[in-house]
C-alpha cells in the first residue's frame, strides 16, 4: 500500500491502535518534511482576519427556518454520528443510556474578562430557547432538515466578555470512559474538539442547541448541549460540550488533526470543493418517510444554502485553500 493510500483509510475502518498510531506518525513525518503540500502549510498558516461585515436583520431571519420537508424525529434520533458512542450510524441510538446530563457544567475561560464554570441553568439563564429549522449536512453526503431548540451562541459568549485577543473559540466534548464506551477505541484523539473564528461564533445563525422537535436533546444527539452551525459540515457541530475557551490562535480540531487534507478548519459546505475521496456536489436528503439509504439526491449549495446570511464573513477568503 502506498503512503497516499495509507493516508486515506476511512477512519471508521481503523480499529487497530497500531495502524492508527502508525498513520498519525506517517502524517506527522510527511507534514514535517513538507510532502503534504497544502495540508502541511494549512497548519502553519493563519487565515486572514475576518472582514467587517454588516448583518441585515431581515435577511438573517430568513435563515432561521425553511419549509423544506423535515426529517422525522425517528430518523433524527436513530441515524447519528457520535463516535464517543461508537462509529456506526445506529450505535449512538443503541448505546446504553450512560451519559449523566444532570448535573452538567460548562467551563468558560481563556481570553475573556469573566471566566467561570457554570451549571447549564446558569449558562443559559434568561435566554429563552427558540426554534430554528435548519438544514444539517454531513461531510459524508447525507443531509437532514431539523427543528432545533436553542439559544444564539453569541448571546451566551458575550456574557463572558471576550477580550480583543479572542480571535477564535475552542469547544470541548466530555471525555469520560465510564459514560462513553467509544472512548475505549482510538477513533479520534479524545476529547472531541472543535473551533470557530470569533465572528463565526458570534453569527446569529450559530446555535447552542438544547432540544429537537420541542423535546430535550437525547444522548445520541449531544445532550444536554451541542453546537449547530447549519452552513458547515456536521462534524463542526460538536456535541455534549463541557468547555468553551476563547483563544488567540486557530485551535486544535479533532477531524483536522485526524486527516488535515480531508477536513479543513473552516469546513464550510461547498459543492465546488470536493472531499479528496468523494464529490460534495450532491447530497442524499433524509426527509419525510422514505428510505434512508435510497433517499433523493439533491444538489448541495454553497454554505449549505445560507450564503445570503454567512457569505460576507468569507469575502476574499480563498475557499480552496481554506476549505
Ligand atoms: N462530540 C462529538 N460531536 C460530534 C460528533 C462526534 O462524533 N462527537 N460527530 C459530528 C458529526 S460527523 C455529525 S454529522 C454531527 C451529527 O449530529 P446528529 O447525530 O445530531 O445528526 O455531529 C457532530 N458532532
Ligand atoms: Mo458528519
Amino acid at each position: 500500500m502506498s503512503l497516499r493510500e495509507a493516508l486515506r483509510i476511512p477512519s471508521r475502518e481503523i480499529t487497530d491502535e497500531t495502524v492508527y498510531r502508525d498513520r498519525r506518525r506517517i502524517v506527522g513525518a510527511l507534514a514535517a518534511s513538507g510532502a503534504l503540500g497544502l495540508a502541511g502549510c494549512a497548519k502553519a498558516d493563519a487565515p486572514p482576519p475576518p472582514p467587517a461585515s454588516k448583518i441585515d436583520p431581515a435577511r438573517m431571519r430568513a435563515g432561521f427556518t425553511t419549509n423544506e420537508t423535515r426529517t422525522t424525529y425517528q430518523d433524527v434520533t436513530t441515524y447519528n454520528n457520535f463516535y464517543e458512542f461508537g462509529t456506526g450510524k445506529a450505535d449512538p441510538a443503541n448505546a446504553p443510556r450512560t451519559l449523566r446530563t444532570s448535573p452538567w457544567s460548562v467551563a468558560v475561560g481563556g481570553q475573556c474578562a469573566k471566566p467561570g464554570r457554570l451549571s447549564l441553568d446558569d449558562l443559559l439563564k434568561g435566554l429563552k430557547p427558540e426554534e430554528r429549522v435548519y438544514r444539517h449536512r454531513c461531510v459524508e453526503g447525507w443531509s437532514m432538515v431539523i427543528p432545533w431548540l436553542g439559544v444564539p451562541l453569541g448571546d451566551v459568549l458575550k456574557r463572558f466578555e471576550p477580550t480583543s485577543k479572542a480571535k477564535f473559540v475552542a469547544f470541548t466534548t466530555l471525555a469520560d470512559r465510564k459514560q462513553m464506551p467509544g472512548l475505549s477505541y482510538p477513533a479520534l484523539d479524545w476529547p472531541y474538539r472543535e473551533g470557530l473564528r470569533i465572528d463565526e461564533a458570534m453569527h446569529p445563525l450559530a446555535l447552542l442547541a438544547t432540544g429537537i422537535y420541542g423535546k430535550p436533546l437525547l444522548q445520541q444527539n449531544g445532550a444536554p448541549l451541542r453546537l449547530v452551525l447549519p452552513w458547515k459540515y456536521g462534524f463542526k457541530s460538536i456535541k455534549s460540550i463541557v468547555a468553551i475557551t476563547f483563544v488567540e490562535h486557530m485551535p486544535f480540531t479533532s477531524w483536522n488533526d485526524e486527516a488535515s487534507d480531508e477536513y479543513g478548519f473552516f469546513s464550510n459546505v461547498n459543492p465546488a470543493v470536493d472531499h479528496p475521496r468523494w464529490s460534495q456536489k450532491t447530497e442524499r436528503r433524509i426527509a419525510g418517510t422514505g428510505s434512508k439509504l435510497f433517499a433523493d439526491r439533491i444538489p448541495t449549495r454553497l454554505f449549505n444554502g445560507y450564503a445570503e446570511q454567512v457569505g460576507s464573513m468569507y469575502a476574499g477568503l480563498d475557499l480552496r485553500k481554506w476549505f
Side-chain angles (χ1 to χ4, degrees):
M1 186 189 283
S2 72
L3 281 183
R4 201 70 197 161
E5 281 160 351
L7 294 174
R8 294 189 170 184
I9 301 169
S11 48
R12 64 183 169 278
E13 283 173 32
I14 299 171
T15 45
D16 181 77
E17 169 110 28
T18 340
V19 173
Y20 170 75
R21 293 296 158 204
D22 220 46
R23 179 170 179 240
R24 294 177 70 82
R25 191 180 48 72
I26 294 167
V27 174
L30 283 178
S33 74
L36 284 182
L38 238 191
C41 97
K43 276 243 151 102
D45 248 14
S53 58
K54 272 204 238 68
I55 291 168
D56 169 48
R59 200 200 285 176
M60 211 44 69
R61 274 194 303 278
F64 290 174
T65 192
T66 166
N67 50 26
E68 288 158 281
T69 306
R70 296 173 187 203
T71 303
T72 63
Y73 186 69
Q74 172 72 14
D75 283 344
V76 178
T77 55
T78 56
Y79 193 81
N80 304 101
N81 270 337
F82 197 174
Y83 280 19
E84 287 86 337
F85 293 96
T87 54
K89 293 285 170 288
D91 292 349
N94 291 333
R97 310 279 99 176
T98 43
L99 185 68
R100 280 194 317 270
T101 55
S102 115
W104 189 271
S105 65
V106 181
V108 186
Q111 303 288 352
C112 63
K114 298 192 163 151
R117 176 181 285 279
L118 280 76
S119 70
L120 186 59
D121 283 350
D122 285 341
L123 186 79
L124 305 178
K125 201 179 233 133
L127 297 170
K128 201 174 141 10
E130 43 193 282
E131 191 177 81
R132 298 278 183 85
V133 186
Y134 281 163
R135 289 179 288 276
H136 172 77
R137 190 196 190 281
C138 180
V139 72
E140 296 162 352
W142 49 271
S143 66
M144 299 186 175
V145 176
I146 303 177
W148 300 98
L149 213 53
V151 302
L153 174 62
D155 289 355
V156 173
L157 297 183
K158 277 178 212 145
R159 300 180 159 182
F160 298 90
E161 300 180 11
T163 69
S164 59
K165 282 191 173 164
K167 307 270 193 243
F168 294 88
V169 191
F171 300 85
T172 311
T173 292
L174 177 74
D176 179 354
R177 278 180 178 237
K178 288 194 223 77
Q179 299 182 57
M180 299 168 143
L183 293 187
S184 303
Y185 305 92
L188 291 168
D189 187 1
W190 312 114
Y192 193 104
R193 280 157 285 172
E194 259 308 336
L196 297 171
R197 210 169 57 183
I198 190 81
D199 59 320
E200 300 180 308
M202 294 295 181
H203 191 279
L205 281 186
L207 201 69
L208 255 183
T210 55
I212 287 175
Y213 272 106
K215 302 183 184 83
L217 286 177
L218 297 181
Q219 174 174 296
Q220 56 267 40
N221 293 106
L225 190 71
R226 52 102 41 96
L227 273 189
V228 179
L229 304 156
W231 70 101
K232 293 180 182 278
Y233 291 115
F235 62 89
K236 278 275 167 185
S237 293
I238 182 172
K239 296 176 168 180
S240 305
I241 297 166
V242 291
I244 301 177
T245 316
F246 297 100
V247 294
E248 193 172 356
H249 302 289
M250 195 158 81
F252 175 105
T253 72
S254 294
W255 283 103
N256 184 245
D257 169 70
E258 170 63 22
S260 59
D261 58 336
E262 300 186 13
Y263 312 103
F265 177 80
F266 284 95
S267 303
N268 288 318
V269 174
N270 189 344
V273 177
D274 288 339
H275 182 278
R277 287 184 280 135
W278 56 78
S279 162
Q280 293 292 20
K281 288 188 178 58
T282 64
E283 63 202 57
R284 190 163 49 82
R285 174 60 59 83
I286 301 169
T289 51
S291 151
K292 284 195 276 289
L293 293 175
F294 301 102
D296 286 349
R297 282 216 157 261
I298 58 170
T300 287
R301 290 190 278 160
L302 180 61
F303 303 122
N304 207 19
Y306 298 97
E308 281 272 310
Q309 286 80 27
V310 304
S312 63
M313 288 195 290
Y314 309 106
L317 194 72
D318 178 346
L319 296 177
R320 278 193 179 276
K321 179 174 183 194
W322 299 106
F323 62 100

